[in-house]
Amino acid sequence: MKLLLIEDNPPLALWLSKILKEDKFTIDVASDGEMADSLLQSESYDVVLLDLQLPKMNGKSVLRRLRQRHNNVPVMILTASGSIDEKVDCLGAGADDYLVKPFEVRELVARIKALIRRQTPDKTAEMHCADLCYDSNTRQFSIAGQPLALPAREHDVLEILMLKQGKTVSKTALMDGVFGLDDEPSADAIEIYIHRLRKKMEHCQAAIMTLRGLGYLLKQKDIS
């Protein structure tokens, strides 16, 4: 899951990035409104965390421009203002959630997961593909009830495929979801992660299929 954190306070942005990376999120950080607006036009994110008081372009302007482009990525406002009028204004402009600083990190993470869960078809915490299970609350995988421990990048790839279950996911989309701005995107690395996942899922009733020229698809194995 890839997040964009738009925050002009460097210590706070660094702290939040560290905390969210520990929770297996991929994080890009924008320190001003213009940078955020540019990233939102060139990159894809699962959730945007948006401060309101930003240099160069305020948070509400970033939000309005985003919605004017018909980009429906979930946006959570993170602000020191607890004003009801401010909250109503932001929600009316297209924000999906509103959290007042200071906040508990556990609440922030829970709200992020809830926003992402709203984008899935059944909106439940658990998703299944045959005997492969993904719990969106804990962000853990299991096969036939047994935990499937994965390194961060392999976890990210399988998570994207599970959330897009039934749809073909291109290699470019996987690269966009797995690598942040500070990383060097690599198509070869994606192929390595897929290969490793397949080995770990040998005894699973779900499999990652390659659709040549199109991408990858997570589906139940054909039982002959």
Side-chain angles (χ1 to χ4, degrees):
M1 295 180 187
K2 190 173 182 180
L3 313 180
L4 175 61
L5 172 61
I6 307 169
E7 172 60 63
D8 68 325
N9 182 320
L12 178 57
L14 183 63
W15 177 73
L16 278 176
S17 296
K18 180 176 181 295
I19 293 293
L20 292 170
K21 285 177 181 177
E22 289 174 355
D23 227 292
K24 298 182 180 177
F25 291 106
T26 299
I27 311 291
D28 286 345
V29 179
S31 57
D32 64 65
E34 288 185 357
M35 179 182 180
D37 188 56
S38 177
L39 285 175
L40 288 167
Q41 293 182 64
S42 62
E43 304 290 327
S44 296
Y45 297 98
D46 294 294
V47 171
V48 175
L49 307 175
L50 175 62
D51 187 20
L52 293 179
Q53 301 300 320
L54 297 168
K56 299 186 179 179
M57 185 191 303
N58 65 48
K60 286 184 187 177
S61 295
V62 173
L63 177 60
R64 290 192 180 99
R65 288 193 180 194
L66 179 72
R67 297 310 187 213
Q68 285 169 0
R69 293 192 294 269
H70 305 290
N71 187 328
N72 294 319
V73 60
V75 175
M76 182 189 301
I77 303 296
L78 301 181
T79 179
S81 172
S83 162
I84 295 298
D85 289 341
E86 187 86 274
K87 183 174 183 178
V88 168
D89 193 24
C90 288
L91 293 174
D96 298 272
D97 202 354
Y98 191 103
L99 192 57
V100 178
K101 302 173 185 176
F103 47 77
E104 284 282 343
V105 173
R106 288 181 302 167
E107 181 180 4
L108 173 63
V109 171
R111 288 185 180 221
I112 291 171
K113 290 175 180 177
L115 286 176
I116 293 171
R117 192 160 58 245
R118 289 181 201 170
Q119 311 307 304
T120 60
D122 57 8
K123 300 179 176 60
T124 58
E126 284 194 356
M127 299 180 67
H128 295 267
C129 181
D131 60 350
L132 176 67
C133 176
Y134 171 73
D135 187 326
S136 64
N137 284 331
T138 61
R139 298 189 65 205
Q140 298 299 312
F141 287 97
S142 61
I143 297 176
Q146 298 301 309
L148 175 62
L150 298 170
R153 291 281 167 79
E154 291 173 35
H155 179 281
D156 289 347
V157 169
L158 188 56
E159 185 175 56
I160 293 168
L161 292 172
M162 178 63 95
L163 291 172
K164 301 289 187 181
Q165 187 183 162
K167 298 179 181 178
T168 303
V169 182
S170 69
K171 190 177 293 184
T172 299
L174 287 175
M175 290 168 61
D176 288 342
V178 168
F179 299 108
L181 292 175
D182 296 331
D183 302 316
E184 187 66 40
S186 168
D188 291 341
I190 295 296
E191 292 181 3
I192 292 170
Y193 301 144
I194 293 289
H195 174 73
R196 290 174 179 170
L197 285 168
R198 283 174 172 153
K199 291 186 70 68
K200 292 172 182 178
M201 295 170 61
E202 282 179 342
H203 302 293
C204 182
Q205 294 172 13
I208 300 172
M209 313 300 294
T210 299
L211 302 179
R212 194 170 299 278
L214 297 175
Y216 302 97
L217 175 69
L218 179 67
K219 59 172 288 190
Q220 183 171 343
K221 288 178 180 176
D222 294 327
I223 301 174
S224 54

